[in-house]
């Protein structure tokens, strides 16, 4: 083992990085992607500096794996927070503020409104069929509405 470690070269690192990238294809969820990229970078550094001892190659690999993973994690987190669709996968939230027409009269605070090709339960002030209403809130499958003046 010591013999192998003392003679690590760029082919070993490129092979490790490639193997990790291939394993990532089978569904590791991004975990092996960044370690594979770190292995390839260490392989390139070892190609440029062939006399780099293994005692520096291994820590370099570890540091690069952590840095690339943290970089990607921060980048993805930033995209999730500043996305152009903050209500994605929150059915009903995208309806808040939009105006629709009463499908079934709202009587005693409960009725139905037509939203696209579906009908949602609506709660709010009494309104006749055809009255325009604006969605103010959502609670599960029930939309709170107000009459549009």
């Amino acid at each position: 083992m010591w013999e192998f470690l003392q003679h690590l070269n760029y082919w070993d690192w490129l092979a490790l990085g490639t193997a990790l990238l291939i394993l990532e294809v089978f569904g590791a969820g991004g975990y092996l992607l960044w370690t594979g990229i770190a292995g390839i970078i260490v392989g390139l550094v070892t190609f440029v500096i062939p006399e780099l001892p293994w005692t520096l190659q291994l820590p370099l690999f570890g540091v690069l794996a952590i840095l690339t993973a943290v970089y990607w994690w921060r980048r993805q987190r930033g995209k999730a927070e500043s996305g152009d669709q903050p209500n994605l996968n929150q059915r009903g939230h995208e309806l808040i503020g939009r105006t629709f027409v009463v499908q079934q009269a709202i009587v005693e605070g409960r009725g139905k409104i037509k939203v696209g090709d579906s009908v949602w339960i609506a709660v709010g002030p009494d309104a006749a069929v055809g009255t325009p209403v604006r969605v103010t809130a959502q609670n599960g499958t029930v939309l709170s509405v107000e009459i549009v003046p």
Side-chain angles (χ1 to χ4, degrees):
M1 181 70 173
W2 289 108
E3 180 76 22
F4 175 73
L5 285 176
Q6 290 174 351
H7 298 294
L8 279 175
N9 63 26
Y10 68 94
W11 285 116
D12 298 320
W13 288 108
L14 292 177
L16 174 66
T18 303
L20 290 170
L21 292 176
I22 289 171
L23 289 173
E24 174 62 33
V25 171
F26 293 109
Y31 297 108
L32 297 179
L33 175 67
W34 302 106
T35 15
I37 289 173
I40 290 174
I41 292 172
V42 172
L44 294 174
V45 169
T46 308
F47 178 76
V48 173
I49 310 170
E51 64 276 354
L52 188 68
W54 71 272
T55 54
L56 292 177
Q57 292 176 25
L58 290 177
L60 178 63
F61 173 70
V63 167
L64 285 174
I66 291 170
L67 287 177
T68 55
V70 167
Y71 164 75
W72 188 251
W73 176 72
R74 284 190 173 179
R75 183 175 169 172
Q76 288 299 98
R77 189 180 65 171
K79 282 185 179 180
E81 291 172 354
S82 65
D84 59 344
Q85 295 179 348
N87 294 323
L88 186 63
N89 292 333
Q90 296 181 8
R91 185 175 162 98
H93 276 72
E94 75 278 1
L95 303 176
I96 297 174
R98 292 181 53 196
T99 302
F100 300 100
V101 176
V102 174
Q103 176 78 20
Q104 179 181 342
I106 301 175
V107 179
E108 295 179 7
R110 197 164 179 89
K112 294 184 180 179
I113 61 172
K114 180 125 175 113
V115 177
D117 61 348
S118 63
V119 178
W120 286 66
I121 297 172
V123 294
D126 291 352
V129 174
T131 305
V133 292
R134 180 178 300 117
V135 178
T136 58
Q138 182 235 355
N139 184 13
T141 59
V142 178
L143 300 174
S144 298
V145 297
E146 64 184 11
I147 297 175
V148 176

